[in-house]
Amino acid sequence: MNAMALSVAVTPEPAEDALAARLIEMTVEDCQRAFAEGSVTAEALAQAFLARIETYNPRYKALIVMNPQALDDARAIDARRAAGETLGPLAGVPVVIKDTMDMAGLPSTGGWHFLSAEAGGVDLIPATDAPVTARMREAGCVILGKTNVPVLSHTGSHANDSWAGPTLNPAAPDRIPGGSSAGTATAVAASLAVLGLAEETGGSIQNPASAQGLVGIKPSFGLVPNAGVMPLAGSTRDVVGPIARCVRDAALTLDALAGYTAADPKTVAGIGKRPAGGYTAGLEPGALTGKRLGLYGPGWRDLPLSEEASALYARAQAELEAAGASLVADPFAGTDFAAIAEPTPGLVYFDARGFESAPYDLQLYLERMGPDVAIRSFAAFAEATKAEDAFAPGGVLHPITNLRQLAACLADPASPPDVSDFLAAREAYLAVFDRVMAEHGLDALVFPQMRAELPPLHGPGTLLETTVCEINIAGLPGVTLPAGAYASGSPFNLIFVGRMWSEGDLLACAYAYEQATHHRRAPALDA
């Protein structure tokens, strides 16, 4: 890909070789220690990651658009540090962002060839950053580039239909990488960046993080702005969150992302909901002591775990108890929680309510991109992509046309849609969830994020998760993290789920489990 062209030394110097070795599983703390010691500059670190991307990205296809200003941005951080300026914990840290997040001057392609000049379509070039992109810049991050997604982020399993080609899973290259934030997860898992931004409508943070043995935060709806992010359900379900290799790095990133902005009025709901001292304040090894955690069972969703997933979950339960937690079996038993779901025909247990707003949200997104963008309205978008109409039979979004309120929004995408069916489902989920948590005195739930190991990369199989419909519709937060692996090497992750705005508590539980078990393993890469 032309966008991937980079200039690096043909024969690295010994010091460069030493730095290259340090990139594997590098954390934010590692970066800041190196900067403080003076052993590496932000520019040198960014250059080392760019060289690693040039080596491995042609095979794994994590990044699809590079930031030509990355080294300039790194030099600016070095200058500020040299001038004695006090910088935050993410300053100089190399990161990636999902393709769908607007970055002024770079294309947002949605993984679709129609929206990529490199693939024969037209580039959508935003005039301004999405708020989350701007916040990463403000934190001093060095954004290396944008990452691969499937067409319109339509699947939580892979990026096989992207114009850039399929993203591979470094932990299991013959199996799906998770989606739609496949590229972000692969970039982080393969140590092509320290951390990355992902976005979720239906599992697209938790699924790829889990598929690749990483930490992912699916935040409460409204905590992090999603304006300027190519939407599927921007008004109802879409959330932006971090994917990282350790809990602390994910928490530090959430500190940078969370909070109100006038650019996204939904974020008013999160005012006053962030923990004092930030999301790292509760990260203590003993944080699981005395916690009551609810376990997966048919009361939540009447779909069983595979035999091997059950065995791995049993081992994880023993680890949680050893760390001081008390476990409550199937706390949703006897409730009508599982009956709230209305799985969409043609999909594997996926409830699409909330997607009714897709045409309206896309209209708002395109308008926000600026007056000079190549496609400025939903009608123009539909015309530009009519050869593969996303909503027609066979189109990537056709399964959601069963939603009774979508047709009116398609007919008039400029008017706010009727999402009353979605709102009724959200209220129903939250009412039962809050009641069960209170009745059992639960601090959180802890489930296996997947019911079975990953299917092959190519084929009809999908990632079989446990939490996507429920927490995406309800707007609840979740934190997923490594908890081992199947015999095949396919990762096994847990997910902690809690009440609205409980990210700090979930991260504390996840950190304590991480520190007690250290399940994360770096994959071996092939160039």
Side-chain angles (χ1 to χ4, degrees):
M1 289 177 282
N2 293 335
M4 296 310 303
L6 295 167
S7 177
V8 296
V10 175
T11 304
E13 297 294 330
E16 293 173 336
D17 284 337
L19 178 55
R22 294 169 65 186
L23 304 187
I24 300 171
E25 300 288 294
M26 179 176 270
T27 66
V28 170
E29 183 180 10
D30 293 334
C31 293
Q32 296 305 335
R33 184 184 303 113
F35 295 149
E37 292 171 349
S39 61
V40 68
T41 63
E43 179 184 3
L45 187 62
Q47 182 65 74
F49 272 106
L50 290 173
R52 186 171 171 86
I53 288 167
E54 187 175 33
T55 298
Y56 292 107
N57 198 65
R59 170 166 166 75
Y60 291 94
K61 291 187 173 65
L63 288 102
I64 59 174
V65 175
M66 302 306 296
N67 174 18
Q69 302 300 316
L71 293 178
D72 289 340
D73 294 342
R75 292 184 194 108
I77 291 295
D78 287 334
R80 291 169 61 188
R81 182 172 283 112
E85 184 176 340
T86 300
L87 302 174
L90 298 183
V93 174
V95 307
V96 295
I97 64 172
K98 190 174 181 178
D99 167 81
T100 52
M101 298 171 187
D102 283 355
M103 187 171 178
L106 293 184
S108 295
T109 76
W112 211 357
H113 65 90
F114 293 115
L115 308 180
S116 169
E118 186 173 338
V122 297
D123 279 339
L124 297 182
I125 307 291
T128 58
D129 287 340
V132 290
T133 305
R135 287 179 174 180
M136 296 302 278
R137 289 190 199 263
E138 290 163 6
C141 297
V142 177
I143 300 174
L144 301 177
K146 303 182 74 181
T147 60
N148 204 13
V149 298
V151 172
L152 296 182
S153 301
H154 74 95
T155 175
S157 293
H158 56 73
N160 289 351
D161 59 359
S162 167
W163 65 265
T167 293
L168 299 188
N169 182 344
D174 61 336
R175 297 177 184 261
I176 60 174
S180 61
S181 306
T184 292
T186 292
V188 175
S191 295
L192 306 184
V194 175
L195 52 88
L197 294 194
E199 177 273 334
E200 173 159 330
T201 309
S204 296
I205 296 172
Q206 48 178 313
N207 284 0
S210 179
Q212 302 198 35
L214 297 165
V215 176
I217 304 174
K218 183 273 174 199
S220 302
F221 183 78
L223 180 66
V224 176
N226 64 27
V229 180
M230 192 177 292
L232 276 176
S235 299
T236 55
R237 296 171 54 143
D238 291 358
V239 294
V240 174
I243 288 179
R245 291 185 294 270
C246 68
V247 173
R248 183 173 294 277
D249 286 3
L252 287 169
T253 310
L254 188 60
D255 279 332
L257 296 175
Y260 172 75
T261 172
D264 191 343
K266 295 186 300 298
T267 54
V268 71
I271 294 176
K273 306 300 185 182
R274 289 181 290 174
Y279 289 102
T280 62
L283 303 188
E284 300 291 343
L288 278 168
T289 301
K291 294 294 188 294
R292 286 176 58 81
L293 307 175
L295 301 178
Y296 182 74
W300 174 272
R301 188 191 292 187
D302 195 11
L303 291 172
L305 307 180
S306 71
E307 183 177 350
E308 194 173 0
S310 294
L312 288 166
Y313 189 32
R315 187 195 68 188
Q317 290 175 45
E319 292 168 334
L320 289 161
E321 288 180 318
S326 299
L327 306 181
V328 178
D330 195 10
F332 290 85
T335 73
D336 59 356
F337 187 87
I340 298 170
E342 294 181 2
T344 300
L347 300 177
V348 179
Y349 202 88
F350 185 79
D351 188 335
R353 283 176 292 181
F355 283 70
E356 299 93 330
S357 67
Y360 174 73
D361 292 330
L362 189 55
Q363 173 79 21
L364 295 181
Y365 169 75
L366 293 169
E367 290 174 358
R368 187 188 185 280
M369 292 189 95
D372 298 325
V373 71
I375 298 173
R376 297 178 58 185
S377 67
F378 180 80
F381 172 87
E383 177 64 23
T385 61
K386 64 182 179 181
E388 297 174 19
D389 184 351
F391 295 94
V396 292
L397 298 182
H398 182 257
I400 72 171
T401 58
N402 77 297
L403 298 169
R404 70 182 186 90
Q405 294 165 331
L406 177 65
C409 191
L410 280 169
D412 184 13
S415 296
D418 178 1
V419 292
S420 55
D421 288 354
F422 162 78
L423 293 175
R426 172 166 285 182
E427 290 175 352
Y429 272 130
L430 289 174
V432 179
F433 186 89
D434 288 343
R435 185 177 73 246
V436 168
M437 296 293 282
E439 287 178 352
H440 291 274
L442 298 177
D443 296 287
L445 310 176
V446 60
F447 297 167
Q449 197 276 334
M450 290 185 281
R451 294 188 286 110
E453 66 179 317
L454 298 168
L457 175 62
H458 297 291
T462 61
L463 190 150
L464 301 176
E465 42 67 37
T466 63
T467 52
V468 164
C469 303
E470 297 84 352
I471 71 173
N472 285 148
I473 292 176
L476 296 167
V479 175
T480 185
L481 80 163
Y486 292 86
S488 67
S490 179
F492 175 81
N493 266 37
L494 295 177
I495 183 167
F496 289 90
V497 176
R499 296 175 177 86
M500 290 291 290
W501 321 115
S502 67
E503 285 85 353
D505 295 332
L506 301 181
L507 286 162
C509 291
Y511 180 81
Y513 180 79
E514 175 190 65
Q515 296 303 301
T517 60
H518 297 285
H519 281 301
R520 167 70 191 164
R521 294 291 181 269
L525 304 186
D526 294 320

